[in-house]
Amino acid sequence: MTYFRWALGRVGVAALTLTGVSILIFGAVRAMPGRYSDLVLGPLASRAEKDAAAERYGLDGSLPEQYVHWLLHAVRGDFGISMASQTPVASEFAERLPATVTLTALALCVTVLIGVPLGVLTGIRGSGGGRTGRLLGSLGLSLPEFVLGSLVVFVFTRYGLGLTVGAYVPWDQGPLRSVLSLALPAAVLAVFCTAAVARTTRDSVLGVLVEPHIAAAIARGESTAHIVRHHVLRNASIPVLTLLATLTAYLLGGAVIVERLFNTPGLGSFLVDGLDRRDYAIVQAGVLLAATVFIVVNVLVDIVCGIIDPRISNQAGSTAT
């Protein structure tokens, strides 16, 4: 019962946080210079034309009324109309969401499949493996994405090597072709993420290995593989899951530089284009979506961590009482 109260409390805090974020987003956009009607129609438009544009974009009421109107429509999936294309923002997002989700899923798969085993291996092998892990982690973390991405674009454009750059294939033309078209940008994104996960996993494994129950398992004669599977991985997984939640939100929010380099029609580059055009309906929707993903993913990870280690929820419940 304590766990369910704790999980419900986490969901409640997330809801309050998301409400506060929506207020900040709305206020920040409204604080920017220039009205929607001025941006759409120009300074020479008549008052009647500006009033009609304000009514079209839901700007003909007070700020509290505008916020409630925008929030109620956003909850239903209606994010307004883009000033540049005069199309619903939700439909624009729906067209670009598959590319971003596929890119994020590929990058996370590579990150988990390489970063976690590498971190566990370097943590178990001791000083020699630790030096190798630190070297690889430092290289991956210090190499900027635009440098690596530019190098990959140059090499594959110059020499081919069987993959094309800037040729995204939509899902309706074949899921496998779509995944292969995003292999290069996903690999570039995965370098930083893999290095971060490998370093975090290594540090977490080293922290678990010095705990008393590991020494007891060794004294009982348990094999290294058994100790890693049953004692190390579960206890070392919480910091890794927390980092993966942050990386997921980062990738879904849009790795803009990589999307631009590889001409990927994702949400990140679309949001930047909307900001350049001062298309505030797109900016509001994009930031709110990124904040929602970040908050929801972190709540889910907190709940999973509470299942893995019941001490988290029990400690929180005892602190609250």
Side-chain angles (χ1 to χ4, degrees), residues 6 35 70 76 99 168 220 224 233-234 248 286:
W6 172 79
R35 297 174 57 192
W70 170 68
R76 298 197 300 264
Y168 170 69
R220 289 193 300 267
T224 303
L233 290 181
R234 179 171 180 173
T248 301

Side-chain angles (χ1 to χ4, degrees), residues 135-157:
L135 176 62
L136 295 176
S138 298
L139 287 175
L141 292 173
S142 61
L143 187 61
E145 291 176 346
F146 71 90
V147 174
L148 181 60
S150 300
L151 180 61
V152 170
V153 169
F154 169 77
V155 170
F156 279 85
T157 303

Side-chain angles (χ1 to χ4, degrees), residues 10 17 63-64 75 85 88 97 101 122 127 148 168 192 194 204 217 221 245 273 295 297 313:
R10 294 297 301 157
T17 303
L63 287 180
V75 170
S85 61
L97 187 61
V101 171
T122 54
S127 59
L148 181 60
Y168 170 69
F192 170 82
T194 301
S204 184
D273 290 338
I295 292 172
V297 170
S313 57

Side-chain angles (χ1 to χ4, degrees), residues 100-139:
T100 299
V101 171
T102 305
L103 182 62
T104 299
L106 286 176
L108 285 176
C109 286
V110 174
T111 297
V112 173
L113 293 176
I114 297 179
V116 173
L118 182 62
V120 173
L121 181 62
T122 54
I124 292 175
R125 290 183 61 183
S127 59
R131 286 193 294 268
T132 304
R134 284 194 296 270
L135 176 62
L136 295 176
S138 298
L139 287 175

Side-chain angles (χ1 to χ4, degrees), residues 13 40 44 56 70 127 131 143 162 176 181 208 223 253 255 302 320:
V13 171
V40 174
L44 300 180
R56 173 179 174 81
W70 170 68
S127 59
R131 286 193 294 268
L143 187 61
L176 181 59
S181 67
V208 173
S223 64
D302 286 346

